[in-house]
Amino acid sequence: MTRARIAAALALGLAAACAPFERGPERYPSLAQAYAARFPVGVAVEPRHLEGMEGRFVAWQFASLVAENAMKPPALQPREGEFDFAGADRIVDFAARHGMRVRGHTLLWHEQTPDWFWRAPDGRPASRELVVERLRNHIATVVGRYRGRVQAWDVVNEVIDPAREDCLRADRWRETLGPDYVEQAFRFAHEADPSARLFINDFYTTQPARRRCLARVVEGLIVRGVPVHGIGHQMHIDIATPEPAEVDEAFAQFARLGLENQVTEMDMSLHDAARKRHPGSDAELLASQARRYQALFAVFRARADVTSVTFWGLSDAHSWLDRGELAGRGDRPLLFDARLEPKPAFWGVIRAAGGGGAVPAGAVSQSPPISR
Ligand code: GLA
C-alpha cells in the first residue's frame, strides 16, 4: 500500500470511529426517558467519561450515576485523614447539573480497604476500637459531604459467604470487629444522612444458598432496628443464567421483607461463570443477549420494589469483563458497542419499556466481529 492509501485508509477509519459522536447521541431513544415512569436507569462512570460528547451521551441516556472507582475508600481516603474528593465531586456535580440521581459505592468492601485502616500508629495491628473509629470517621465524612446529593449508598459490599455458619465472609472486617460490623456501618451511614437509602450490595443474589444467607443477615439487621432499606443486586450475569423467573422470585423474597431491590452493577457476559464462551456465532450470542436483557427488564419493570437499575460501564469498550486478566476475550456485556452505538441488547431493553416494538431500520450497530 502506498503512503497516500495508508493515510486515506486511516482517515476513513477515524471518520467511521468518530461518526456516531459527530451525529450526536440524541438520535437514539433515551433509556432514561423510556423508564422515567418506573425507575432511574443508571451507569457506572469514571470522571473522565463526563467530558465532551461522551458526557452528552451519558446525560442523554442515563438518569443516575455511580462512581466506578472514585468513591471507593482508597480513592477517597488514600491516607488516614487525607481525603481526596476531586473525582467524586466531578461525578456528583455532573449529576446535579443534569438532574440525575447518584448511588454511592461503596463504604466498606473487603477488596478495597486501604492498608492504613489495619495498622496502629506504632505499626502494630490496629485494635478493634481504632478500626471502628476509623470506619465511623470515613463514613461520617464521606456520607456527610454528599448529604442530600447522593440518594442511595452501598453501605457494605460483598459481605455474604454462604459457606460460613454466620453467613458472613471471613475477612479482616469480620475478624477484627466481630459480626456486628455490618450493623455499625449502617448506623454510621444513617447518622451521617438520615434521608439516604441504605443498601447491602452483593453478587449472585439469586442463587439459592447466597439468597438464603443474604435474607438471614438482613432479617437480623431488621430485627435489631438497623436502618437498612434494600438489597443491591450486582447482576454480573451471563446470557444463560440466571433465569428471569429466578430473579423475580428472589426479588419477591426481599420485597416481602419490606425492602427495595436495586440492580446496581448490571452487565451480561457472553461467557459462563467458568469463563467459557457460550457456543454460537457472534450474531447469535448478541441476539440471545438482547432477548435476555429484554426479559429481565420486563421483570424489573413489573416489580414496584425495583427502584433503580444501573449498568456497570458505558459501553463494551469500558467493561471490567475485558480488562486485566480478562482482557482480550472479546466480551460484549453492555448495551452499547465500543463506538457507543446501540447493540441489539439496547433495543431489547427499549422494547421492554413498552414504548413500541420495531427496531428502526439500520439502527442496529454493525459491530466488528468479536475477537477471541
Ligand atoms: C465488584 C465491585 C465493583 C467493581 C466490580 C468489577 O462487583 O462491587 O465496584 O469493582 O466488582 O470490578
Side-chain angles (χ1 to χ4, degrees), residues 44 66-69 72 105-106 109 111-112 154 157-158 201-203 234-236 264-265 267 312 319-321 323:
V66 64
E68 191 171 348
N69 289 296
K72 288 174 179 166
H105 174 86
T106 175
W109 182 25
E111 267 197 34
Q112 292 205 29
D154 291 332
N157 193 30
E158 302 182 347
N201 194 49
D202 222 303
F203 59 93
Q234 291 187 356
M235 288 272 161
H236 295 298
T264 55
E265 306 186 17
D267 47 29
W312 203 250
S319 173
W320 69 289
L321 291 168
R323 273 205 299 261

Side-chain angles (χ1 to χ4, degrees), residues 204-208 235-248 250-251 266-268 292-293 295-296 299-300:
Y204 297 161
T205 48
T206 57
Q207 284 183 355
M235 288 272 161
H236 295 298
I237 59 176
D238 69 75
I239 58 174
T241 52
E243 290 292 338
E246 288 172 75
V247 173
D248 195 40
F251 283 19
M266 188 162 202
D267 47 29
M268 192 185 292
R292 184 50 67 96
Y293 264 122
L296 286 167
V299 170
F300 302 156

Side-chain angles (χ1 to χ4, degrees), residues 208-288:
R210 297 191 66 86
R211 188 176 127 188
R212 260 196 307 278
C213 254
L214 182 53
R216 204 176 114 196
V217 168
V218 99
E219 276 165 8
L221 295 173
I222 293 169
V223 164
R224 293 195 297 282
V226 178
V228 54
H229 306 116
I231 307 292
H233 304 267
Q234 291 187 356
M235 288 272 161
H236 295 298
I237 59 176
D238 69 75
I239 58 174
T241 52
E243 290 292 338
E246 288 172 75
V247 173
D248 195 40
E249 202 184 296
F251 283 19
Q253 176 180 5
F254 295 115
R256 282 194 295 275
L257 297 175
L259 297 168
E260 291 175 48
N261 288 297
Q262 296 203 342
V263 176
T264 55
E265 306 186 17
M266 188 162 202
D267 47 29
M268 192 185 292
S269 179
L270 305 182
H271 300 75
D272 65 18
R275 300 185 174 178
K276 190 168 171 301
R277 190 174 181 278
H278 285 288
S281 68
D282 297 351
E284 284 163 353
L285 292 183
L286 295 179
S288 303

Side-chain angles (χ1 to χ4, degrees), residues 41-311:
V41 178
V43 67
V45 292
E46 300 290 3
R48 68 173 187 279
H49 296 139
L50 303 175
E51 305 295 328
M53 198 59 92
E54 224 172 14
R56 205 167 119 190
F57 168 84
V58 170
W60 171 249
Q61 282 296 346
F62 300 100
S64 171
L65 295 180
V66 64
E68 191 171 348
N69 289 296
M71 285 197 187
K72 288 174 179 166
L76 288 181
Q77 198 182 174
R79 282 164 296 280
E80 185 166 20
E82 288 180 30
F83 286 87
D84 179 356
F85 290 111
D89 280 356
R90 277 172 66 193
I91 293 172
V92 175
D93 291 347
F94 182 95
R97 274 202 310 281
H98 293 90
M100 304 168 91
R101 301 176 75 79
V102 184
R103 299 195 78 264
H105 174 86
T106 175
L107 299 170
L108 183 158
W109 182 25
H110 70 103
E111 267 197 34
Q112 292 205 29
T113 303
D115 275 347
W116 60 257
F117 253 95
W118 310 112
R119 268 195 322 268
D122 63 6
R124 304 233 299 260
S127 66
R128 177 179 191 278
E129 290 64 36
L130 182 55
V131 177
V132 171
E133 198 37 49
R134 286 170 168 169
L135 179 66
R136 178 203 290 274
N137 185 48
H138 182 80
I139 293 179
T141 308
V142 172
V143 176
R145 180 180 184 88
Y146 297 115
R147 189 178 168 132
R149 291 188 292 160
V150 169
Q151 292 80 20
W153 281 99
D154 291 332
V155 176
V156 296
N157 193 30
E158 302 182 347
V159 297
I160 300 299
D161 182 352
R164 306 276 308 173
E165 209 176 316
D166 66 357
C167 288
L168 289 176
R169 183 187 289 277
D171 61 10
R172 255 171 138 166
W173 288 104
R174 168 79 184 74
E175 275 160 26
T176 312
L177 271 60
D180 67 348
Y181 76 93
V182 175
E183 166 169 351
Q184 285 177 308
F186 275 90
R187 290 197 188 283
F188 295 155
H190 187 63
E191 260 166 43
D193 184 356
S195 65
R197 306 300 285 170
L198 304 181
F199 289 79
I200 177 165
N201 194 49
D202 222 303
F203 59 93
Y204 297 161
T205 48
T206 57
Q207 284 183 355
R210 297 191 66 86
R211 188 176 127 188
R212 260 196 307 278
C213 254
L214 182 53
R216 204 176 114 196
V217 168
V218 99
E219 276 165 8
L221 295 173
I222 293 169
V223 164
R224 293 195 297 282
V226 178
V228 54
H229 306 116
I231 307 292
H233 304 267
Q234 291 187 356
M235 288 272 161
H236 295 298
I237 59 176
D238 69 75
I239 58 174
T241 52
E243 290 292 338
E246 288 172 75
V247 173
D248 195 40
E249 202 184 296
F251 283 19
Q253 176 180 5
F254 295 115
R256 282 194 295 275
L257 297 175
L259 297 168
E260 291 175 48
N261 288 297
Q262 296 203 342
V263 176
T264 55
E265 306 186 17
M266 188 162 202
D267 47 29
M268 192 185 292
S269 179
L270 305 182
H271 300 75
D272 65 18
R275 300 185 174 178
K276 190 168 171 301
R277 190 174 181 278
H278 285 288
S281 68
D282 297 351
E284 284 163 353
L285 292 183
L286 295 179
S288 303
Q289 185 184 54
R291 283 192 295 275
R292 184 50 67 96
Y293 264 122
Q294 181 171 342
L296 286 167
F297 268 77
V299 170
F300 302 156
R301 185 168 170 254
R303 301 202 57 88
D305 46 277
V306 174
T307 54
S308 171
V309 178
T310 296
F311 289 95

Side-chain angles (χ1 to χ4, degrees), residues 24-38:
E26 297 85 359
R27 70 195 186 287
Y28 295 119
S30 151
L31 296 165
Q33 286 171 17
Y35 284 87
R38 272 298 294 112

